[in-house]
Amino acid sequence: MEMQRRLRNLAHPLMLGAAFAASATPATTQSEQRVRSPDGRNEVTVESRDGGLYYSVRRDGQAVLLPSRLGFLFRADSLHNGLRITSVTRDSADQTWTQPWGEVASVRDHYNELRVQVAEDRAPGRRFAVAFRVFDDGVGFRYELAESAGFADFEMMEELTEFALADNARAWWIPANKPEPDRQEILYSSGPVSRLDTVHTPLTLQMSNGTQVVIHEANLVDYAGMYLVNLGGRTLRSTLARWADGVAVRGRAPFVTPWRTIQLADRPEDLAPSTLTLKLNPPSRIENTSWIDPMKYVGIWWSLHIGTETWGSGPKHGATTANTKRYIDFAAANGFGGVLVEGWNLGWDIDWFNTGKANFSFTRAYPDFDLPEVARYAKQKGVTLIGHHETATMIDNYERQLEPAMELYRRHGVRAVKTGYVGDLTEHGHAHQSQFMVRHHRRVIETAARNGIMINVHEPIKDTGERRTWPNILSREGARGQEFNAWGGEGGNPPEHETILFFTRMLAGPMDFTPGIFDLLIERPTGTPRQPHEARPRTTLAKQLALYVVLYSPLQMAADLPENYAGQPAFQFIRDVGVDWDTTRVLEGKIGDYVVVARKQRDTNDWFIGAITDEEARSFEVPLSFLTAGQRYVAEIYADGPGAHWRDNPLPVVISSHPVDSTTRLPIELAPGGGQAIRIRPER
Amino acid sequence: MEMQRRLRNLAHPLMLGAAFAASATPATTQSEQRVRSPDGRNEVTVESRDGGLYYSVRRDGQAVLLPSRLGFLFRADSLHNGLRITSVTRDSADQTWTQPWGEVASVRDHYNELRVQVAEDRAPGRRFAVAFRVFDDGVGFRYELAESAGFADFEMMEELTEFALADNARAWWIPANKPEPDRQEILYSSGPVSRLDTVHTPLTLQMSNGTQVVIHEANLVDYAGMYLVNLGGRTLRSTLARWADGVAVRGRAPFVTPWRTIQLADRPEDLAPSTLTLKLNPPSRIENTSWIDPMKYVGIWWSLHIGTETWGSGPKHGATTANTKRYIDFAAANGFGGVLVEGWNLGWDIDWFNTGKANFSFTRAYPDFDLPEVARYAKQKGVTLIGHHETATMIDNYERQLEPAMELYRRHGVRAVKTGYVGDLTEHGHAHQSQFMVRHHRRVIETAARNGIMINVHEPIKDTGERRTWPNILSREGARGQEFNAWGGEGGNPPEHETILFFTRMLAGPMDFTPGIFDLLIERPTGTPRQPHEARPRTTLAKQLALYVVLYSPLQMAADLPENYAGQPAFQFIRDVGVDWDTTRVLEGKIGDYVVVARKQRDTNDWFIGAITDEEARSFEVPLSFLTAGQRYVAEIYADGPGAHWRDNPLPVVISSHPVDSTTRLPIELAPGGGQAIRIRPER
């Protein structure tokens, strides 16, 4: 990592603020402080007014956030009134580093910073700072609570950070604090921000002037996850996930909060890939990352969801030694790096899902699963097992076993573990995204790192850029993935679903969506009696391929049963497609309608294009100007075949090869619910 | 009205039901009853199961509504269990009548009916029937509560009618039972039905198989307005507006409820014009309808909303004798039928909006408004005054004055009155769409009819087809109209707004949206301090013209100030456009995206086309095959001019004339937020 940080700390006593005010609009006061992004387009203003502390955000001179109040509610009192700015500090930086894996290899962290020192005019006279970093792609800010005579240990009930949108922007949202409070496995709705209730982040908003706004957070380490609640009108405010006793955050000053992030772009296509949260996380704590290894994988998983095999013991038990070896053979034969095994460990035979009484062992296998033998076989075949820890949110049970469980896997050469947190609250009643759980997830990541193990979390806390600091947290769920198409839950995922995910959930970080279902015609028997015909993916087969490029994950599953890939020429794309990218370019995109994205594989000259649409057929013509000029390439195209339609004819795929170069304009035709997947490789 | 009703009442004892079951699926029971639409596509099944009464709806054999429970909750007990079908009656009808005015002249009422007699097996042994009418365009059903020894006077707390959607359809919705409970002046959101809370009707839903479903009600006469509440999953249930004491409906058996309607169509374009509710209302109670007169109007209104004139007295008082005469002159000069005068009566000088203490007089004018003189002048000019009654939901105050107020207007030749109900609850706490208010609105309509007065209700109860029975209720509001663009409330109406209205609110009936604002560039000063720049229509000028065709109302306002039409060639379209239609054809439509609609003016051979789009530019090619073959026409086209854009260049309009005939394919280009308005008249 090359660090080219240029520091210039300039401490201003408040009266120096006037020097800045001189260049500002007449409405400014001496207490108003401004800071702009390096390109000058984004500007944050901070001011104290009538004892309240406010920030606002403008882009190109147009308001994005109107004056929005800052503060906290503690158990004892609030830190919200009688505030004045005592001094400000300015800073800037420009550094570029290489992520060990990602949507892009190189990330430039270029910002101007304004740190505002604030004092409380009344007892207990607390002090804190708010640090604003303004980037070309958005804004991050966080609070830094200082220790003082009257303030050390605290119990925070709420963070009172407002986001007063300047426009009744259109929001794409999923509800929070509803029956499924924190797992985020919910279909998106859209509507004016004035009609939101409580929602999850990332929250993607489109202003009527075309500006795209994404509110999220970064570096959630020892704090509660933030939701956004509508205060009426178009002002959103943070509201925090809670411990069982209702407290949001327990801490001791000095204390820094996570960063609140406001990503800004001119078009939806410019939102991805999003690196704002990475820039607001500390550099990697793992020095040697060579063991961290993006890969494709298969596993004993889809069979469990469609009911042909079981997690628990019995005649249909999936995780047997023989069956796992079959998957290992399949992985090795097709160049996949890993084999996931769910249901290998004791605890699956009780109805933990409905009773909430899970008691999993993370070290003891079912008798028909010989871990040492399977691990030996995998190693011999050049494949890693991907272990599995379903906690059912019984966190004590998991943490008691965490060290030996990771150690067991390490001893057997298991290089990755999928964890699971099916459940709304922990066994002690802490919320899914509470500070308690945030701490727990960090503990798991760090324990895994010490054991050389990569992590893939399902039903996770949201991604706030932890992968920069701990690059062994490779992927996670945190949205409705393919599994909902196995159950038909809430009607399965509609054709538009992934075109929304790309501009919402995916802006937080990688998602283990598990694409690649080829057996699209069979309606599964596992739907509820009332919805028997919905347990199926609502895409064409070509769209299943395109999802490998569109929905980024350094762990990409070929989720279908190995036998369903047999004799399928389209499977070649899954064999070929990359999982680690040098460059990403969004060529076309409209939230909820379509996405066309091109990504260059790291360490090769191959490009991959994924194009997906909602229920409407669409046509695009894509200039391949991103290719190296003068180089001749071959485009291997997997397109929706004649008459393809997600509803009743999802299987037709036409595979063709064409010579292309940087001057080519490639036509792309998508069927209703369809997609197209393209590999572009240099001509051999 | 020609009545060609063919009645065939066939009373079946229950055992005869088996004759129908014979042709049904094996899952049927003897108590299962089926009825199909005349075209055979829509089918309702009714059955009792475990003491519950259920209905379900299929279209082309595919489930639309799964078995959905029926019943009531009374104050004393529920009528929900221990129910069995005792007999059924079948009926059918095919009648066609001419509406005195409307989106279409001729309405065909063609249905098959199944009346299911139901008995309660336990005390008090009540009896009721449910009548299902199945049309080619949907289903209506209502309850008929029979009087019995144990049941006469009742207080109903809730109607327990379910709508168990077979698919997690996408819904376009506005919330009910929220801060603005019943006025429906809310921007639409969309999302899966599983994520609804409580919403208004009409509720428009799109199933994943393409079927369009609209849930609403018809013939709301002496009952409470129905909202829909999500019971979890995708089952909606009726929930009723309430009296102040929490009761929903007070009645005495025998008693019939309003019809619950489920409109069905294959495409959004086939939803409009919707006549289902008309078919489920009784024929006209007004024998001679010659005095009911669709018209265009102007009035003292927009000036009040943008703040250049006032409702109350003072130097800017709008409703003066002189000013009204100026509007009368303008109306007469341009062929408009009416002049609305708001703020003519005493009561506007107190802050009734914020205090909730209104005390309007509906007979006493401000001293500077000489009603007899103004009325005389209007009559002389061939124009009618449109009176104004803002009640502020002080219903007692209005009802006390209702007869003399209508009589006063009648005496002075005022042929139409705009009423207003700004307020959430009545002065006694009854909900806006409560049975109390439903009764009140009927009383106003009937009183007006006796005085030969047409009614245009703002902040109304929803439209359930009353215009068939009382064709003097011409139009109403009941959605976010143009006025929100004067205030900037909730950010004004976004460009997509009217493309949603067409497929939602407008399916209930005419809306007095008040289009025709030409002064689109000026940002009004009346926004709140936080949103100063939003008080403007977010459309091009051509789209303002197109709204006259798209948003149907038999009373269409030219809403801008007369001086803003001066020297505007585009004003000619407003002079020309019809307000009463023989035929309506939706040529293109996607909810929230665009609408292209053609309407043939009644009693002429002129056609008008209105095309509108959301924030995206769009192109269409429209075949004019609806024109009379062999006839030569001229198309007068008002199109978005070069560079037109709702955001920063809304004014350019290009007006052109072209010869067309029934073989012409007319290209239509719409700017972002734009529209196109076309008059097609026979060549002279």
Side-chain angles (χ1 to χ4, degrees), chain B residues 544-580:
Chain B
Q544 288 288 323
L545 300 179
L547 293 177
Y548 283 86
V549 186
V550 172
L551 299 180
Y552 170 63
S553 179
L555 290 177
Q556 282 287 33
M557 189 175 202
D560 210 339
L561 313 180
E563 53 267 40
N564 290 335
Y565 294 128
Q568 291 278 9
F571 182 57
Q572 185 61 40
F573 183 83
I574 302 180
R575 294 168 53 115
D576 291 339
V577 67
V579 288
D580 192 14

Side-chain angles (χ1 to χ4, degrees), chain B residues 508-565:
Chain B
M511 178 181 172
D512 186 32
F513 181 86
T514 68
I517 299 302
F518 276 24
D519 187 18
L520 295 167
L521 280 177
I522 294 176
E523 292 183 348
R524 307 292 172 192
T526 51
T528 69
R530 282 197 157 191
Q531 295 101 31
H533 302 302
E534 298 182 344
R536 50 165 288 200
R538 297 181 172 202
T539 75
T540 65
L541 198 151
K543 183 171 175 178
Q544 288 288 323
L545 300 179
L547 293 177
Y548 283 86
V549 186
V550 172
L551 299 180
Y552 170 63
S553 179
L555 290 177
Q556 282 287 33
M557 189 175 202
D560 210 339
L561 313 180
E563 53 267 40
N564 290 335
Y565 294 128

